[in-house]
Amino acid sequence: MNSDMTAQYDPIQRVDRQHFPDKQSDALRSLLWRPLVDKAAIEDMGIPIDTTVFLTIGGGIGSFIWINNLMIYGARHAHVMSIGMEREPYGRYRRLCRQSQISDDNRLRSDSGSTPDNIWGYPGYAIREALRDGFSLRPKNTGKHLKQIFGEPILNQVYTPIAGNVYTSMAREAERIGWDSIHRLGRVHAVRKTTNGHYAVFYTLRTDDYFQERCAIAQYVHLAVGYPATRVLPELQRYMQLTGDTYRAVNAYEKHDHVYQQLAQNGGLVVVRGRGIVASRILQRLCEVRKENPDVHILHVHRRAVIDGACYNGKQRPVDSHMEIQPFNFPKSAWGGRYREQFMQADEDERGELLDTWGGTTTADRVDWQDILHTGKREGWYTVMFGRITDICPSDSKANEVYLQIALHTGNTAEVNASFLVDATGLDANWQRSPLLCDLVKTFNLPLNVKKRLTVNDSFEIEAMRLRRSRMYATGAMTMGSKFAPVDSFLGLQYAAQCSVQDLLDNKAPCIKPLTPFRSLAQWSRWLLGAKL
């Protein structure tokens, strides 16, 4: 692993290192120096070998959706395998949501038809929630959910599902397809091509008693590793490395419940940095704390003022409190409308421009969040400052506080002593932050797209990894810049899985068969009844 990566403070990778070793044995490293390995050489080293047809790396929601598709298309447990560092497919996603204050009772930024547990997308979450409320004798809520999906986004605020309902539905489907027998709790270190035309995936298996180096050999490999790291900006990185303090200055994606507990007891000033969906949720959580202790004040630091939102084809994104408002991370037609067709036909440079215009940092159009900011400004407990935090250090003048130096956009400098700093500047998609991706890109000299992510074709195949009849696919954040804009979304993961499975069918991959209308109806009925595969 690169020494720069080990030196950086990162909440995601810190958890990974706590649960899995990030180094390989000397014997394994000696085998991995070349891109092509021989199965006999692996056996001679005494490394246990698993053999499968389809293997997915990541073990998260992207992996779960791909495996679910394969099994509905006919694959059985003996044909599929998953390797990842969380037991549940939604485990990491749920942990990051909870730590960024999106609890199981809160709503996610996703629509009704984006259903990771259901490849058909029907019934969507809105209908399920309406039925659940109906059975619970809450007819008013039932009507509200149905009204939302039929009137959004013009007449009503868009419907978004409750996080806990999404996790519960995935848990149900995971049990139905036998995820526990498919998934291996492990950390993948490297992928190599084999002399007999397959892929060798080297990983560390974790059991209750020990760690073991193993190898899985598969004909078809799927890469769904998500974001490799958290974005920790240089001044916060320096502060954490020099002081070791993760109490006063925290990243939104690490556990920091103590911030809200201390503020509820003692009050104080908290500085928030970031203007995306997570920052919005942090602000909402702080507002909830203010109900317990009105002596809580918020300073929201933006690098620049945002007066006018992004404009495209004469349509301009609205702005509220210097945050651009958009229901989802992309316009909805980017998933399946005119924008999707336009994006697929665009060349690479144009795709890069469209991604910047349609995407970027936005937050959802939710009335409750906007009311918080308007009320806070009016009452004086919420203040906005435009500038860049240049230095963070322990406060000299006040104990138990953190000192921030802020270079204002006016050219002046502001000095702030705060009880806490909550940094919500997002996740880092840089492939160099992932030891696995770094090894893969450098070993096989993989091409990168306009967004410096993995280059994939229309079927989400990494063509540079093609070997005889074997194929490697990729999905999710690491493919941003491909011919589908919202790849980093539930529906984007579903779309990528269907494209890759269709490519497998076209190339006559074993163990799966076309999903004809009759078979599709039969499989959907089995899903509805919870019949095991």
Side-chain angles (χ1 to χ4, degrees):
M1 185 189 294
N2 186 308
S3 60
D4 290 341
M5 285 187 284
T6 56
Q8 291 192 31
Y9 173 82
D10 184 270
I12 289 179
Q13 294 184 357
R14 183 178 65 170
V15 172
D16 293 343
R17 287 192 291 267
Q18 286 174 348
H19 292 90
F20 291 90
D22 56 356
K23 294 182 179 180
Q24 307 90 46
S25 66
D26 292 339
L28 181 56
R29 281 201 300 271
S30 68
L31 182 68
L32 295 178
W33 70 270
R34 51 192 171 188
L36 197 67
V37 299
D38 186 77
K39 183 178 179 182
I42 302 172
E43 292 173 338
D44 290 343
M45 291 179 60
I47 298 177
I49 297 176
D50 306 303
T51 302
T52 187
V53 180
F54 307 101
L55 186 148
T56 180
I57 300 170
I61 296 175
S63 293
F64 170 73
I65 292 171
W66 194 66
I67 292 289
N68 197 22
N69 270 264
L70 289 171
M71 296 196 70
I72 288 171
Y73 275 78
R76 301 288 73 142
H77 293 84
H79 307 144
V80 296
M81 181 176 170
S82 165
I83 305 173
M85 291 185 277
E86 303 278 352
R87 293 190 183 277
E88 296 88 8
Y90 50 85
R92 172 170 294 196
Y93 181 87
R94 186 184 200 176
R95 173 164 54 83
L96 292 177
C97 282
R98 284 178 167 179
Q99 290 174 180
S100 58
Q101 304 307 302
I102 303 173
S103 70
D104 289 5
D105 294 331
N106 296 135
R107 294 188 180 272
L108 300 174
R109 196 183 185 187
S110 182
D111 76 346
S112 176
S114 301
T115 53
D117 68 304
N118 178 356
I119 72 170
W120 299 272
Y122 181 83
Y125 289 121
I127 293 178
R128 299 185 209 180
E129 191 173 347
L131 291 173
R132 192 178 297 111
D133 286 338
F135 289 133
S136 301
L137 302 180
R138 294 194 294 263
K140 183 179 293 187
N141 287 350
T142 299
K144 173 186 173 183
H145 303 319
L146 295 177
K147 179 183 176 183
Q148 272 188 280
I149 58 173
F150 287 111
E152 66 182 17
I154 305 300
L155 301 178
N156 303 296
Q157 182 174 287
V158 297
Y159 172 86
T160 54
I162 295 173
N165 291 345
V166 175
Y167 306 143
T168 300
S169 66
M170 276 193 278
R172 174 183 181 270
E173 183 67 359
E175 182 180 2
R176 189 178 82 89
I177 67 175
W179 180 258
D180 286 346
S181 65
I182 294 167
H183 183 61
R184 307 290 187 276
L185 192 63
R187 178 174 191 155
V188 176
H189 299 292
V191 180
R192 295 293 183 266
K193 296 177 180 179
T194 67
T195 52
N196 66 342
H198 289 165
Y199 301 103
V201 178
F202 296 91
Y203 70 104
T204 298
L205 177 70
R206 178 187 174 190
T207 68
D208 292 335
D209 302 318
Y210 61 89
F211 294 103
Q212 182 186 42
E213 286 185 341
R214 298 183 69 94
C215 175
I217 294 181
Q219 185 174 359
Y220 304 100
V221 171
H222 176 259
L223 195 63
V225 294
Y227 286 92
T230 312
R231 182 181 292 120
V232 181
L233 296 180
E235 62 281 352
L236 183 56
Q237 189 72 244
R238 286 194 301 270
Y239 174 79
M240 290 180 165
Q241 289 177 337
L242 290 172
T243 67
D245 174 32
T246 58
Y247 188 85
R248 294 292 166 187
V250 300
N251 185 281
Y253 287 98
E254 64 185 324
K255 189 174 182 180
H256 63 283
D257 291 338
H258 66 274
V259 170
Y260 310 102
Q261 294 166 0
Q262 287 296 312
L263 289 170
Q265 292 176 9
N266 306 317
L269 172 67
V270 57
V271 176
V272 177
R273 177 165 63 175
R275 59 171 115 218
I277 192 72
V278 170
S280 296
R281 178 54 196 153
I282 296 294
L283 293 172
Q284 185 177 17
R285 181 74 178 88
L286 289 170
C287 184
E288 293 168 1
V289 172
R290 284 199 86 258
K291 295 177 182 178
E292 301 178 54
N293 189 337
D295 193 28
V296 172
H297 297 267
I298 303 168
L299 173 61
H300 198 172
V301 178
H302 296 309
R303 296 197 67 160
R304 61 182 179 85
V306 175
I307 306 301
D308 299 317
C311 185
Y312 183 75
N313 276 353
K315 299 175 182 176
Q316 191 167 33
R317 197 151 55 201
V319 173
D320 193 314
S321 300
H322 300 281
M323 292 189 283
E324 293 193 61
I325 304 299
Q326 188 164 269
F328 306 108
N329 56 345
F330 281 93
K332 203 163 185 179
S333 65
W335 275 268
R338 180 168 60 89
Y339 282 4
R340 177 199 165 200
E341 295 299 320
Q342 178 183 348
F343 194 80
M344 293 188 73
Q345 295 169 11
D347 60 32
E348 189 158 333
D349 290 337
E350 187 181 355
R351 287 204 302 274
E353 294 174 1
L354 290 174
L355 286 171
D356 292 339
T357 302
W358 295 349
T361 302
T362 62
T363 193
D365 183 15
R366 296 185 181 173
V367 175
D368 51 353
W369 292 355
Q370 295 169 33
D371 285 348
I372 288 171
L373 305 189
H374 297 162
T375 301
K377 287 178 185 176
R378 187 172 62 250
E379 296 178 353
W381 50 263
Y382 173 78
T383 308
V384 175
M385 185 177 287
F386 302 108
R388 182 172 61 89
I389 297 177
T390 56
D391 192 24
I392 306 172
C393 61
S395 175
D396 291 331
S397 60
K398 296 185 179 180
N400 300 322
E401 290 193 349
V402 62
Y403 165 84
L404 307 175
Q405 188 177 78
I406 305 173
L408 302 176
H409 75 295
T410 59
N412 298 324
T413 299
E415 297 180 340
V416 176
N417 288 291
S419 301
F420 296 99
L421 165 66
V422 181
D423 190 284
T425 49
L427 299 172
D428 191 347
N430 186 349
W431 58 271
Q432 293 175 312
R433 298 292 305 278
S434 164
L436 171 61
L437 292 176
C438 194
D439 175 83
L440 194 65
V441 170
K442 291 182 177 179
T443 299
F444 296 99
N445 195 26
L446 298 183
L448 303 175
N449 61 32
V450 67
K451 286 297 180 181
K452 305 301 180 186
R453 317 280 179 97
L454 298 177
T455 296
V456 295
N457 63 17
D458 292 359
S459 300
F460 289 86
E461 180 198 351
I462 307 175
E463 292 184 352
M465 289 297 294
R466 186 178 294 183
L467 183 64
R468 302 179 194 173
R469 290 182 58 83
S470 298
R471 300 286 187 272
M472 176 180 276
Y473 302 92
T475 189
M478 281 299 105
T479 62
M480 177 74 76
S482 62
K483 290 190 176 181
F484 189 74
V487 287
D488 182 30
S489 65
F490 288 164
L491 199 58
L493 296 173
Q494 291 175 265
Y495 174 80
Q498 291 183 4
C499 288
S500 59
V501 170
Q502 185 58 53
D503 187 63
L504 290 169
L505 288 170
D506 294 342
N507 287 283
K508 297 180 171 51
C511 310
I512 57 174
K513 50 191 173 182
L515 199 62
T516 61
F518 177 77
R519 288 192 64 241
S520 181
L521 178 61
Q523 288 286 5
W524 179 81
S525 299
R526 291 174 63 84
W527 171 86
L528 189 65
L529 297 172
K532 293 186 180 295
L533 293 177

